[in-house]
Amino acid sequence: MRRGFGEQLGLPGALGSLPLAPLAREYQELMERQIEAGLRYAGEALTDPQEAAAGDSFVSVLDGVALCTPRRRRLVDEAALRSLADARPARAPVLRLLAGIRRHDPALLRRVLLYQLLPLLRQGATGLGLDPAEHGLLAKAARTLPVLDEPRRTAAEALAPLWSRRRLRACAHALATLGPEVLRADPRLAGLDARLRRLLADCDRTLAAAASGTAPAEAEAGYLRVLSVASDDDEAVRGLIRLGTSSAADAPLTARPADGGRIALSWPARPGTHWRVLRDGPGRPLPVPGATGTASTAVDTDPPVGLRVRYAAFPVEDGRPTGAPLVSRPLLVAPDAEELALDDGPGRIAVRWRRPRTASTSVLTLTGPGTDAATVRHTVDRAEEHVFTDLEPGTYALVLTTRHPSPDGGTVNSPGVRRTGTVHAWPRPLTALTAEPGPEDGVRFTGYGGEGSEVRLVTWPEGTAPAPGTELRTAALPAPLPWARYGAADRATPDGAFAGLVSAVTVRGERALAGPGVRLDVPGPVGTPRAVREPGGQVRLLFDWPSGAGAVHAAWDGGELRISRSRYVREGLRLPLGPGPRHVTLRPLVPEARPGDGAAVGVPRAPVGVDVPGEAVVRYRLLTRRRGLGRRVPYAVEVSAHGHDPARPLPDLVLVHRDSVRPRHAGDGTVLLRVAGAALAAAPFQTLGLPPAPDLSRPPYALRAFLLGDGAGAVRLEEPALTTLVVR
């Protein structure tokens, strides 16, 4: 008959001592991987889930860790654990950590598994894949052991990592948390406690000797010896800081406030030296996160606000201090405000800043110019801006201090940020602006206010004109309108069309104030007018349509006419002026206001005149005689000119000959006769004989006269009947 484990020895003899602490450095990581794999305890990773459920495979932990089947019991060593990790990828992280624990200490694997099993068995857990005989035995034993609450369990699991980092003071605290009952129940813990007491007693004796007034070199050696045994001994750290402070009156480590409430640290570089930076204040010295390595700078990103601290940079080797640290001067952690900016305005200074997150209030102190300057103090709770008003021009000194709560319930003030700001002399505002159009042309601008200031008239891009009173910088103003002058006696008009808002700006030095505006509507001028005579005393006026004009008004002695742009484009402008010389004026008219445009001042444009000369007419006719069979042939031409302006030269008259077909222009044939314009003007009526030409005796042919030269379009040529110009 098979006997169960320990039946002959009895329960105490069979089990021996059961662990109440894992004492494995990798235990925290093992728990994380174990939870990720969904295991209640690490031993479940050793068995196949289906075989364990059928009872064909189970784990034995009392006589070493073994993997058992009904026919075989095999001890689990490091090689077996790594083989299982390769075969079971889902549980490989857990199995590899167990292999590392087994390699470090063969007995430690059993201790870890038992530490995890005991609380589960006390709670009545089943299906753990444990040897059935051991399951019942361990369940009974678990009920006899001290129960670890959450603080004691945390302390038990922290012992090995703390011991591996030589944090003996923290180990002592953890063992004290476990208490005498737990130490008596676990002999290994009791042995660890005894060893720890001996080590710490030696450290205490060394500390006492170092602090008893020995030479600095001997004290430094004693403190370093203590830290080589107990790396977290705060008294040794403070002793070294005291030594560093006394030997470095010039504070080789510089600590200064930086943006964001941080503290920037720097010290002389030592090539190849590794550093560890601590912050020493109330309580125990604490390491500055990330402040390790060979760099000679560091940043404390979360210093304790409201406390006075100092910093120490320890030279270290393999994590142990090798000498006295470089120590800073004491520093009160009270961050100043950041991004302080001052803007001046008329009689005021606007202050903006960014309040530190730990500050409860901000205090602004403003001192005015002069020897008897007044001081104004203002306290702001949560806002990050304030405006001082009713200030005289001059230079002011500002101090911005932030107040922070301290741990003792009081408040501490930051060092303060200092700035100077100048209240400049600003221009006077313009309160009203008017535009007065003249009866004929131009506009005059007048207004109220702006005394002692330069007034400029400008235009802003559509929709961007600042409201009256807006504070501006002169350099950012648009260029002044060259045709608009404020307060000038004469009137001015833009060269082209203008429709928009004219705004006033008062200027004094580099500063300006936006003023009111007035909307104008000024059409452009009539461009390049010219007149063309037509039959019947009609005159056609041609001109470039003025931009921005709704209509053009034409006036002459004895009549006037208004014509719209659409009609001008469609029909042109024809006036019944008669044959005599006339003077016509053309004036662009302001378009009628459209709904939504607002009240605009219409400014008339001066009219443009065009002189229409009298109608000049040149007539000619051929004189013929009969020759043979009743045919009449030309022998002379009779020319007359009348109605022309003596001041304007007449064009030349040419008579052109062409066989069979009537000439279409002066170059369409042979010129038989040319009469200069000056000759026409000198002899308004004359008869000119045709030169003898053989072509004139061989019909059929045609003759025709044309006007050539300057002013030909303004002179009308009256031709005789067509039948008189063709010889057959």
Side-chain angles (χ1 to χ4, degrees), residues 51-102:
E51 293 179 358
D56 295 335
S57 175
F58 51 86
V59 176
S60 173
V61 294
L62 289 183
D63 190 15
V65 179
L67 189 58
C68 304
T69 64
R71 296 182 179 181
R72 183 183 179 188
R73 183 177 185 275
R74 180 167 58 93
L75 287 174
V76 177
D77 57 8
E78 181 185 355
L81 289 169
R82 296 196 180 280
S83 177
L84 287 173
D86 295 338
R88 300 172 185 173
R91 298 180 176 183
V94 176
L95 291 166
R96 290 196 178 97
L97 283 172
L98 293 177
I101 294 172
R102 175 67 171 71

Side-chain angles (χ1 to χ4, degrees), residues 71 101 231 303 305 320 326 338 365 378 438 590 593 650 664:
R71 296 182 179 181
I101 294 172
S231 64
V305 176
R320 295 194 302 270
L326 304 178
E338 299 175 9
T365 304
H378 186 81
V590 178
L650 287 174
R664 293 170 294 178

Side-chain angles (χ1 to χ4, degrees), residues 556-568:
W556 64 96
D557 184 17
E560 61 179 358
L561 182 143
R562 176 190 173 106
I563 186 169
S564 65
R565 186 178 188 279
S566 59
R567 180 182 172 187
Y568 177 75

Side-chain angles (χ1 to χ4, degrees), residues 316-617:
V316 296
E317 185 176 340
D318 294 332
R320 295 194 302 270
T322 61
L326 304 178
V327 183
S328 73
R329 296 184 184 278
L331 174 69
L332 178 63
V333 181
D336 269 317
E338 299 175 9
E339 301 176 12
L340 178 61
L342 278 65
D343 292 318
D344 79 298
R348 73 169 189 272
I349 291 180
V351 187
R352 300 189 312 275
W353 67 94
R354 184 160 62 86
R355 181 177 56 86
R357 58 181 177 80
T358 56
S360 57
T361 56
S362 302
V363 180
L364 298 96
T365 304
L366 187 71
T367 304
T371 55
D372 55 347
T375 297
V376 180
R377 180 175 283 104
H378 186 81
T379 301
V380 180
D381 288 335
R382 292 296 176 184
E384 295 181 321
E385 59 182 4
H386 180 69
V387 180
F388 292 97
T389 57
D390 299 329
L391 303 178
E392 295 295 328
T395 300
Y396 290 77
L398 176 76
V399 180
L400 174 57
T401 304
T402 55
R403 292 176 178 171
H404 304 262
S406 62
D408 60 4
T411 59
V412 295
N413 293 333
S414 69
V417 185
R418 288 163 172 77
R419 293 286 190 278
T420 58
T422 302
V423 177
H424 295 84
W426 282 72
R428 297 286 184 179
L430 196 71
T431 58
L433 179 69
T434 59
E436 301 174 354
E440 291 294 329
D441 191 12
V443 59
R444 178 182 298 153
F445 295 93
T446 56
Y448 300 96
E451 295 82 0
S453 305
E454 175 192 357
V455 180
R456 298 183 188 178
L457 300 177
V458 300
T459 59
W460 298 90
E462 187 66 28
T464 64
T470 302
E471 297 161 14
L472 307 169
R473 288 295 183 267
T474 305
L477 296 179
L481 292 173
W483 54 270
R485 294 177 298 279
Y486 177 81
D490 56 337
R491 292 179 170 87
T493 310
D495 294 337
F498 179 86
L501 184 69
V502 176
S503 299
V505 181
T506 52
V507 177
R508 187 169 183 176
E510 298 178 355
R511 286 156 180 79
L513 287 178
V518 60
R519 190 169 293 277
L520 297 183
D521 204 340
V522 185
V526 173
T528 61
R530 55 200 182 278
V532 177
R533 282 280 185 177
E534 294 183 347
Q538 294 287 323
V539 175
R540 183 182 182 188
L541 291 181
L542 304 173
F543 55 89
D544 297 332
W545 188 266
S547 58
V552 170
H553 178 266
W556 64 96
D557 184 17
E560 61 179 358
L561 182 143
R562 176 190 173 106
I563 186 169
S564 65
R565 186 178 188 279
S566 59
R567 180 182 172 187
Y568 177 75
V569 172
R570 184 176 63 251
E571 303 174 2
L573 177 58
R574 289 177 172 84
L575 303 177
L577 300 182
R582 292 294 179 92
H583 180 75
V584 181
T585 59
L586 300 173
R587 177 192 292 276
L589 300 179
V590 178
E592 297 180 359
R594 296 181 294 272
D597 282 355
V601 176
V603 179
R605 174 72 67 172
V608 175
V610 55
D611 291 323
V612 182
E615 185 177 34
V617 180

Side-chain angles (χ1 to χ4, degrees), residues 114 147 177 253 269 277 305 402 449 551 703:
L114 282 172
V147 178
T177 302
L253 190 152
V277 181
V305 176
T402 55
L703 301 175

Side-chain angles (χ1 to χ4, degrees), residues 656-658 661-670 702-704 706:
V656 178
H657 166 274
R658 184 178 177 183
V661 182
R662 184 170 180 249
R664 293 170 294 178
H665 51 79
D668 191 20
T670 304
L703 301 175
R704 188 179 182 185
F706 298 94

Side-chain angles (χ1 to χ4, degrees), residues 281-338:
R284 58 186 303 268
L286 296 174
V288 175
T292 57
T294 59
S296 59
T297 59
V299 176
D300 188 359
T301 58
D302 192 21
V305 176
L307 296 178
R308 192 173 297 277
V309 299
R310 56 183 173 179
Y311 293 87
F314 283 83
V316 296
E317 185 176 340
D318 294 332
R320 295 194 302 270
T322 61
L326 304 178
V327 183
S328 73
R329 296 184 184 278
L331 174 69
L332 178 63
V333 181
D336 269 317
E338 299 175 9

